[in-house]
mmCIF file of all heavy atoms in Angstrom:
data_model
loop_
_atom_site.group_PDB
_atom_site.id
_atom_site.type_symbol
_atom_site.label_atom_id
_atom_site.label_comp_id
_atom_site.label_asym_id
_atom_site.label_seq_id
_atom_site.Cartn_x
_atom_site.Cartn_y
_atom_site.Cartn_z
ATOM 1 N N ASP A 53 7.205 -3.895 -13.007
ATOM 2 C CA ASP A 53 7.079 -3.249 -14.315
ATOM 3 C C ASP A 53 6.818 -1.746 -14.222
ATOM 4 O O ASP A 53 6.661 -1.081 -15.246
ATOM 5 C CB ASP A 53 5.947 -3.906 -15.119
ATOM 6 C CG ASP A 53 6.274 -5.331 -15.522
ATOM 7 O OD1 ASP A 53 7.463 -5.705 -15.472
ATOM 8 O OD2 ASP A 53 5.330 -6.073 -15.880
ATOM 9 N N GLY A 54 6.716 -1.226 -12.998
ATOM 10 C CA GLY A 54 6.458 0.200 -12.817
ATOM 11 C C GLY A 54 5.027 0.600 -13.109
ATOM 12 O O GLY A 54 4.732 1.773 -13.343
ATOM 13 N N GLU A 55 4.136 -0.375 -13.106
ATOM 14 C CA GLU A 55 2.719 -0.112 -13.377
ATOM 15 C C GLU A 55 1.996 0.221 -12.075
ATOM 16 O O GLU A 55 2.356 -0.280 -11.009
ATOM 17 C CB GLU A 55 2.061 -1.350 -14.002
ATOM 18 C CG GLU A 55 2.646 -1.756 -15.333
ATOM 19 C CD GLU A 55 2.306 -0.774 -16.437
ATOM 20 O OE1 GLU A 55 1.213 -0.185 -16.400
ATOM 21 O OE2 GLU A 55 3.137 -0.588 -17.330
ATOM 22 N N PRO A 56 0.964 1.038 -12.153
ATOM 23 C CA PRO A 56 0.200 1.341 -10.938
ATOM 24 C C PRO A 56 -0.666 0.152 -10.524
ATOM 25 O O PRO A 56 -1.062 -0.661 -11.366
ATOM 26 C CB PRO A 56 -0.677 2.527 -11.354
ATOM 27 C CG PRO A 56 -0.829 2.374 -12.831
ATOM 28 C CD PRO A 56 0.463 1.759 -13.318
ATOM 29 N N ILE A 57 -0.938 0.066 -9.254
ATOM 30 C CA ILE A 57 -1.867 -0.953 -8.761
ATOM 31 C C ILE A 57 -3.272 -0.447 -9.073
ATOM 32 O O ILE A 57 -3.623 0.676 -8.703
ATOM 33 C CB ILE A 57 -1.678 -1.186 -7.253
ATOM 34 C CG1 ILE A 57 -0.303 -1.813 -6.997
ATOM 35 C CG2 ILE A 57 -2.787 -2.067 -6.695
ATOM 36 C CD1 ILE A 57 0.054 -1.996 -5.544
ATOM 37 N N PRO A 58 -4.072 -1.254 -9.774
ATOM 38 C CA PRO A 58 -5.414 -0.797 -10.160
ATOM 39 C C PRO A 58 -6.280 -0.440 -8.953
ATOM 40 O O PRO A 58 -6.155 -1.027 -7.880
ATOM 41 C CB PRO A 58 -6.011 -2.015 -10.891
ATOM 42 C CG PRO A 58 -4.835 -2.811 -11.326
ATOM 43 C CD PRO A 58 -3.787 -2.593 -10.274
ATOM 44 N N THR A 59 -7.144 0.523 -9.155
ATOM 45 C CA THR A 59 -8.096 0.929 -8.126
ATOM 46 C C THR A 59 -9.084 -0.204 -7.883
ATOM 47 O O THR A 59 -9.536 -0.854 -8.825
ATOM 48 C CB THR A 59 -8.868 2.190 -8.583
ATOM 49 O OG1 THR A 59 -7.921 3.203 -8.902
ATOM 50 C CG2 THR A 59 -9.817 2.673 -7.527
ATOM 51 N N ARG A 60 -9.411 -0.408 -6.615
ATOM 52 C CA ARG A 60 -10.372 -1.452 -6.282
ATOM 53 C C ARG A 60 -11.787 -0.878 -6.282
ATOM 54 O O ARG A 60 -12.005 0.245 -5.871
ATOM 55 C CB ARG A 60 -10.058 -2.041 -4.899
ATOM 56 C CG ARG A 60 -8.763 -2.818 -4.890
ATOM 57 C CD ARG A 60 -8.363 -3.226 -3.490
ATOM 58 N NE ARG A 60 -8.113 -2.010 -2.719
ATOM 59 C CZ ARG A 60 -8.476 -1.828 -1.458
ATOM 60 N NH1 ARG A 60 -9.088 -2.774 -0.795
ATOM 61 N NH2 ARG A 60 -8.221 -0.698 -0.839
ATOM 62 N N GLU A 61 -12.715 -1.686 -6.755
ATOM 63 C CA GLU A 61 -14.131 -1.334 -6.702
ATOM 64 C C GLU A 61 -14.720 -1.953 -5.445
ATOM 65 O O GLU A 61 -14.149 -2.869 -4.859
ATOM 66 C CB GLU A 61 -14.864 -1.879 -7.938
ATOM 67 C CG GLU A 61 -14.395 -1.287 -9.245
ATOM 68 C CD GLU A 61 -14.815 0.157 -9.417
ATOM 69 O OE1 GLU A 61 -15.813 0.581 -8.796
ATOM 70 O OE2 GLU A 61 -14.129 0.867 -10.178
ATOM 71 N N SER A 62 -15.896 -1.506 -5.064
ATOM 72 C CA SER A 62 -16.551 -2.063 -3.881
ATOM 73 C C SER A 62 -17.067 -3.468 -4.171
ATOM 74 O O SER A 62 -17.326 -3.833 -5.329
ATOM 75 C CB SER A 62 -17.718 -1.177 -3.442
ATOM 76 O OG SER A 62 -18.777 -1.274 -4.382
ATOM 77 N N LEU A 63 -17.215 -4.240 -3.119
ATOM 78 C CA LEU A 63 -17.774 -5.582 -3.245
ATOM 79 C C LEU A 63 -19.157 -5.521 -3.883
ATOM 80 O O LEU A 63 -19.491 -6.328 -4.756
ATOM 81 C CB LEU A 63 -17.837 -6.247 -1.868
ATOM 82 C CG LEU A 63 -18.478 -7.631 -1.795
ATOM 83 C CD1 LEU A 63 -17.714 -8.625 -2.654
ATOM 84 C CD2 LEU A 63 -18.538 -8.104 -0.354
ATOM 85 N N GLU A 64 -19.944 -4.540 -3.485
ATOM 86 C CA GLU A 64 -21.302 -4.395 -4.020
ATOM 87 C C GLU A 64 -21.293 -4.142 -5.524
ATOM 88 O O GLU A 64 -22.138 -4.655 -6.251
ATOM 89 C CB GLU A 64 -22.042 -3.262 -3.295
ATOM 90 C CG GLU A 64 -22.353 -3.542 -1.852
ATOM 91 C CD GLU A 64 -21.153 -3.357 -0.916
ATOM 92 O OE1 GLU A 64 -20.150 -2.723 -1.317
ATOM 93 O OE2 GLU A 64 -21.220 -3.878 0.212
ATOM 94 N N THR A 65 -20.333 -3.371 -5.994
ATOM 95 C CA THR A 65 -20.223 -3.105 -7.431
ATOM 96 C C THR A 65 -19.960 -4.410 -8.181
ATOM 97 O O THR A 65 -20.593 -4.684 -9.208
ATOM 98 C CB THR A 65 -19.088 -2.091 -7.712
ATOM 99 O OG1 THR A 65 -19.409 -0.866 -7.070
ATOM 100 C CG2 THR A 65 -18.911 -1.867 -9.207
ATOM 101 N N HIS A 66 -19.042 -5.206 -7.668
ATOM 102 C CA HIS A 66 -18.732 -6.483 -8.320
ATOM 103 C C HIS A 66 -19.913 -7.447 -8.257
ATOM 104 O O HIS A 66 -20.207 -8.148 -9.227
ATOM 105 C CB HIS A 66 -17.505 -7.132 -7.689
ATOM 106 C CG HIS A 66 -16.243 -6.383 -7.939
ATOM 107 N ND1 HIS A 66 -15.848 -5.980 -9.190
ATOM 108 C CD2 HIS A 66 -15.280 -5.958 -7.086
ATOM 109 C CE1 HIS A 66 -14.693 -5.336 -9.104
ATOM 110 N NE2 HIS A 66 -14.328 -5.309 -7.843
ATOM 111 N N GLN A 67 -20.586 -7.491 -7.126
ATOM 112 C CA GLN A 67 -21.716 -8.402 -6.977
ATOM 113 C C GLN A 67 -22.846 -8.060 -7.948
ATOM 114 O O GLN A 67 -23.582 -8.944 -8.370
ATOM 115 C CB GLN A 67 -22.246 -8.372 -5.539
ATOM 116 C CG GLN A 67 -21.331 -9.056 -4.563
ATOM 117 C CD GLN A 67 -21.791 -8.919 -3.133
ATOM 118 O OE1 GLN A 67 -22.313 -7.874 -2.739
ATOM 119 N NE2 GLN A 67 -21.590 -9.965 -2.344
ATOM 120 N N ALA A 68 -22.953 -6.797 -8.312
ATOM 121 C CA ALA A 68 -24.004 -6.368 -9.239
ATOM 122 C C ALA A 68 -23.670 -6.706 -10.692
ATOM 123 O O ALA A 68 -24.556 -6.705 -11.544
ATOM 124 C CB ALA A 68 -24.248 -4.871 -9.093
ATOM 125 N N SER A 69 -22.428 -7.023 -10.973
ATOM 126 C CA SER A 69 -22.009 -7.308 -12.346
ATOM 127 C C SER A 69 -22.538 -8.662 -12.806
ATOM 128 O O SER A 69 -22.441 -9.655 -12.086
ATOM 129 C CB SER A 69 -20.482 -7.303 -12.435
ATOM 130 O OG SER A 69 -20.075 -7.772 -13.706
ATOM 131 N N GLU A 70 -23.047 -8.690 -14.017
ATOM 132 C CA GLU A 70 -23.540 -9.949 -14.583
ATOM 133 C C GLU A 70 -22.421 -10.958 -14.793
ATOM 134 O O GLU A 70 -22.667 -12.173 -14.837
ATOM 135 C CB GLU A 70 -24.252 -9.682 -15.909
ATOM 136 C CG GLU A 70 -25.579 -8.967 -15.732
ATOM 137 C CD GLU A 70 -26.312 -8.816 -17.048
ATOM 138 O OE1 GLU A 70 -26.069 -9.615 -17.982
ATOM 139 O OE2 GLU A 70 -27.131 -7.889 -17.133
ATOM 140 N N ASP A 71 -21.180 -10.494 -14.908
ATOM 141 C CA ASP A 71 -20.044 -11.379 -15.146
ATOM 142 C C ASP A 71 -19.755 -12.301 -13.966
ATOM 143 O O ASP A 71 -19.093 -13.327 -14.139
ATOM 144 C CB ASP A 71 -18.776 -10.566 -15.428
ATOM 145 C CG ASP A 71 -18.870 -9.801 -16.734
ATOM 146 O OD1 ASP A 71 -19.640 -10.219 -17.621
ATOM 147 O OD2 ASP A 71 -18.163 -8.779 -16.855
ATOM 148 N N TYR A 72 -20.223 -11.936 -12.779
ATOM 149 C CA TYR A 72 -19.828 -12.682 -11.586
ATOM 150 C C TYR A 72 -21.013 -13.257 -10.816
ATOM 151 O O TYR A 72 -20.906 -13.535 -9.624
ATOM 152 C CB TYR A 72 -19.003 -11.772 -10.661
ATOM 153 C CG TYR A 72 -17.844 -11.133 -11.374
ATOM 154 C CD1 TYR A 72 -17.789 -9.760 -11.565
ATOM 155 C CD2 TYR A 72 -16.807 -11.905 -11.888
ATOM 156 C CE1 TYR A 72 -16.727 -9.175 -12.231
ATOM 157 C CE2 TYR A 72 -15.753 -11.331 -12.558
ATOM 158 C CZ TYR A 72 -15.715 -9.966 -12.725
ATOM 159 O OH TYR A 72 -14.674 -9.388 -13.390
ATOM 160 N N GLN A 73 -22.129 -13.448 -11.471
ATOM 161 C CA GLN A 73 -23.311 -13.975 -10.798
ATOM 162 C C GLN A 73 -23.128 -15.448 -10.420
ATOM 163 O O GLN A 73 -22.474 -16.206 -11.128
ATOM 164 C CB GLN A 73 -24.546 -13.821 -11.690
ATOM 165 C CG GLN A 73 -24.907 -12.376 -11.967
ATOM 166 C CD GLN A 73 -25.167 -11.583 -10.702
ATOM 167 O OE1 GLN A 73 -25.963 -11.999 -9.858
ATOM 168 N NE2 GLN A 73 -24.497 -10.457 -10.564
#
Side-chain angles (χ1 to χ4, degrees):
D53 292 343
E55 298 290 327
I57 293 175
T59 304
R60 292 172 296 140
E61 296 289 336
S62 70
L63 176 61
E64 292 78 16
T65 298
H66 292 309
Q67 287 175 323
S69 171
E70 289 185 24
D71 293 335
Y72 307 114
Q73 296 302 308

